[in-house]
Amino acid sequence: MVEIVSVHIPKTAGSAFGTLFLQKIYSKNQIYSDYNFASIQDSLHEISPQTKVVHGHFHANKYSSSFPKAKMIVWLRNPVERLISHYFFWMNQENFQDDPGGLHAAFIKQKPSFYDFCHLNRIKNSISNGYLNGVDLKKFYFVGVQEFFGQDIQDLAGLMHVRLPRSAKRDQKLNTNRYPSYQKEKESILADKALIEEIKSVNYIDMKIYEEALSLRAKRLEDYKL
């Protein structure tokens, strides 16, 4: 019986969550990785009776009918910083295979500026349109925030009454972007206040979702104190 459905939004610590949390609690044959953008029918065909976790890039409502009692988990990140990370990740991955609809292939061919990238129809508000797909954050069992990753996975472990091994506590390091001069490029973009405000404007829905995630996290922390 599937216990967890983990929606991995790209560049939000989803890979680290899989490695430092899910794989520390569940065995390899208990985790189904859904990264091939298959239909629900095809995915269900591959999920075995041993499966406890479904983790990957898919719409939040993909498995809602199939596993209605599963705990839904998602991680979010400041949309501006997520887009910066996404952009340079793609710039550094010319042969990337995870390419639904050929978007990444077109990106590599055109090499758009960061500004143009953020204005692509399939990139704008891609958290709300591509992953949450209308699912309210309050329906998730846990909403983690990438900027507080270390603390949040400890909080989730407490909620689930599981103990993370010492290695998970020690290795709470997020994957770093391997694009050359990434940090310098990122700082340059963040210093352009007009550009940042423009990106926030065209990603207004994703910004509101992120703000809600921060509010839910603040409430969760307050509840822990009671």
Side-chain angles (χ1 to χ4, degrees):
M1 177 68 70
V2 172
E3 300 173 352
I4 292 177
V5 171
S6 170
V7 180
H8 176 188
I9 297 172
K11 319 317 296 176
T12 62
S15 295
F17 176 60
T19 301
L20 300 176
F21 190 94
L22 297 176
Q23 293 178 23
K24 301 296 184 181
I25 298 172
Y26 298 93
S27 62
K28 185 177 181 180
N29 67 348
Q30 291 178 315
I31 301 174
Y32 171 67
S33 297
D34 183 355
Y35 285 96
N36 58 5
F37 302 94
S39 67
I40 181 62
Q41 292 81 9
D42 289 342
S43 294
L44 290 176
H45 181 72
E46 295 181 0
I47 293 174
S48 74
Q50 296 176 308
T51 302
K52 300 290 185 181
V53 177
V54 177
H55 174 68
H57 295 327
F58 49 82
H59 292 166
N61 56 7
K62 179 175 181 178
Y63 294 97
S64 57
S65 297
S66 304
F67 309 117
K69 295 184 179 180
K71 295 179 173 68
M72 290 179 59
I73 295 173
V74 69
W75 289 81
L76 295 176
R77 180 182 185 180
N78 181 298
V80 174
E81 298 217 3
R82 194 194 76 83
L83 284 169
I84 294 172
S85 180
H86 191 173
Y87 176 79
F88 287 105
F89 177 72
W90 272 13
M91 288 287 283
N92 203 45
Q93 294 282 340
E94 294 199 7
N95 296 315
F96 193 48
Q97 299 299 314
D98 188 358
D99 189 20
L103 183 61
H104 182 252
F107 172 91
I108 292 300
K109 183 177 180 179
Q110 297 169 10
K111 289 289 195 299
S113 66
F114 178 68
Y115 176 92
D116 290 337
F117 170 75
C118 293
H119 284 75
L120 294 173
N121 287 332
R122 289 172 60 188
I123 294 298
K124 291 187 296 185
N125 293 305
S126 54
I127 294 174
S128 56
N129 295 332
Y131 291 92
L132 295 185
N133 204 33
V135 177
D136 193 314
L137 286 184
K138 294 183 179 65
K139 292 187 177 181
F140 284 84
Y141 175 78
F142 188 85
V143 178
V145 178
Q146 187 258 15
E147 290 87 345
F148 304 98
F149 180 76
Q151 180 62 55
D152 279 5
I153 65 167
Q154 295 299 325
D155 291 348
L156 177 56
L159 278 175
M160 293 182 60
H161 305 291
V162 297
R163 177 174 294 183
L164 292 177
R166 290 185 177 181
S167 59
K169 296 178 181 180
R170 182 180 65 245
D171 299 333
Q172 289 174 10
K173 295 176 65 178
L174 300 180
N175 296 333
T176 56
N177 196 300
R178 296 182 181 180
Y179 182 82
S181 71
Y182 170 70
Q183 198 59 40
K184 181 179 179 180
E185 298 282 359
K186 176 181 175 181
E187 291 173 0
S188 176
I189 291 172
L190 292 175
D192 188 335
K193 303 303 181 184
L195 174 59
I196 297 304
E197 290 305 312
E198 171 69 12
I199 295 170
K200 288 181 178 179
S201 176
V202 297
N203 290 277
Y204 173 76
I205 301 174
D206 280 3
M207 290 301 301
K208 294 294 289 183
I209 289 172
Y210 177 68
E211 290 168 7
E212 182 182 0
L214 291 177
S215 296
L216 289 173
R217 182 177 188 274
K219 184 179 184 304
R220 167 163 48 85
L221 295 178
E222 188 62 31
D223 290 344
Y224 283 171
K225 297 177 182 179
L226 299 178

